[in-house]
Structures are given as C-alpha cells and as structure tokens.
Amino acid sequence: MSSINQFRDSEMKSGQSEADPFCLLGLLDVLNRSNPELTSLALGIDLTTLGLDLNSTGNLYKTFASPWTNEPAKSEVEFTVPNCYYATPPPPLTRASFKRFSYELLFYTFYSMPKDEAQLFAADELYERGWFYHKELRLWFFRVGEPLVRAATYERGTYEYLDPSSFKTIRKEHFVVKYELMEKRPSLLQH
C-alpha cells in the first residue's frame, strides 16, 4: 500500500511545475496572486481603488460613471425634446362631436372600436339619422320611403344597408324586417 502512495506523490510532484490552469492546482496560482491579471479577472477589483466610497449613504450611480473613465457621472442627461411633443392633445370626444361626423366615419367608428364608448356614441348618432341595426344579420339598415306593408310584428319595403366588407350601401327591395330583430337604440347618459 505504501508503494502506491509513493507513486502518487512522485507523480503529483513532477506535474506541479506545469499545472493545468483549469484544475485545482491552477486555482492555487490565482489564490496566491502570482499573476495579477488573472487574479483581477477571477477575484474582481477592489472598488475603492476606482474612487468609490463604499461607506457613502448616498447612491453610488451619482458619483461613479464607469470603471473606464476618470470623470464623475453627469447628473443630468443632455437632450432636446422635439417641438411636436409639446402639442396639446385634442379634446376628448363627446356625444355632441359625433353629430359633425359623416356616415362613413360613424360606420368606421362603430365597426373599428368594439366595446368602446365611441361605438355607443356612433350607434346613437346613426339611430338619430334614421338607421337601425339588424341583430340577426348584423347590418345597419335605412328605410327608403314608406314601407309597402306595415304589420304589428314586421314591415316590408325598400331598405338600404351598409355592407361592412365593402363599406358600400346596397339597396334591397321588398325586404321584410321583423321588429323583434331590430336592435333598440342604446340608452346613453347625457354628457
């Protein structure tokens, strides 16, 4: 047994002169600080040698800009804001502002802003202008002239409807509209 230990000891002593830098013997060189460049990479740099006061109660970023510069950090970043950023925002849309909108803009607002207050305002203004929403077909209709037949549950006549895919109004003659399928006008709080 002692002959095996002697062999190991002699093998280790002979290999110590050319130790692998990535093994435990190589780590010993770093810890002994024999190579200063290797030590600073492995163990780091004492920040006080860079001019940092680690005992300071204030923020360090105000006094330390970078380890690669000797100048103190600038307290305020220099920049200019373009004049277009100083523009005042337009006033918020109210129910009254929808009265000035064209039909196209009202339909665009209705279809492009679902679940928004603007959709309700656009729908209310469309009802104000004589349009009504068909729940089953999901289209806006406008009565052209008087209905040919008017009953308690339906009416038949000529209507125009807006096709949302082409954004054009299309005329339908002898079209039957059941009153139960007409969406009621939205009830809005007064603004």
Side-chain angles (χ1 to χ4, degrees), residues 5-169:
N5 287 338
Q6 287 176 352
F7 177 72
R8 280 189 191 159
D9 291 341
S10 65
E11 193 176 89
M12 287 178 73
K13 288 178 184 176
S14 66
Q16 279 182 354
S17 61
E18 295 179 26
D20 184 8
F22 303 107
C23 71
L24 289 176
L25 291 176
L27 182 61
L28 192 60
D29 287 343
V30 173
L31 295 176
N32 289 337
R33 300 176 189 253
S34 59
N35 185 347
E37 293 173 357
L38 189 62
T39 304
S40 67
L41 281 176
L43 300 178
I45 299 172
D46 183 14
L47 296 177
T48 57
T49 60
L50 296 175
L52 280 176
D53 182 15
L54 298 179
N55 295 325
S56 171
T57 58
N59 294 327
L60 292 177
Y61 70 86
K62 291 181 179 178
T63 59
F64 183 69
S66 167
W68 295 281
T69 182
N70 292 330
E71 297 177 17
K74 294 181 181 178
S75 61
E76 195 65 34
V77 178
E78 295 176 17
F79 61 90
T80 57
V81 178
N83 288 335
C84 62
Y85 285 97
Y86 293 116
T88 57
L93 289 175
T94 62
R95 186 176 179 184
S97 47
F98 283 81
K99 295 193 181 306
R100 298 187 313 263
F101 290 177
S102 66
Y103 289 109
E104 292 86 3
L105 186 53
L106 289 171
F107 285 123
Y108 174 78
T109 305
F110 179 82
Y111 284 111
S112 68
M113 299 180 182
K115 299 181 182 177
D116 192 272
E117 188 179 39
Q119 185 186 40
L120 288 175
F121 289 155
D124 185 60
E125 183 58 29
L126 286 168
Y127 274 99
E128 185 73 29
R129 296 182 189 186
W131 291 82
F132 64 90
Y133 190 75
H134 196 283
K135 291 190 264 186
E136 189 176 82
L137 299 175
R138 294 182 173 194
L139 297 171
W140 283 95
F141 283 87
F142 181 78
R143 184 183 300 122
V144 179
E146 287 297 315
L148 301 174
V149 177
R150 188 176 289 210
T153 59
Y154 73 94
E155 65 183 50
R156 184 169 53 89
T158 304
Y159 297 89
E160 287 185 353
Y161 71 93
L162 177 90
D163 180 18
S165 60
S166 65
F167 242 66
K168 293 182 180 179
T169 55

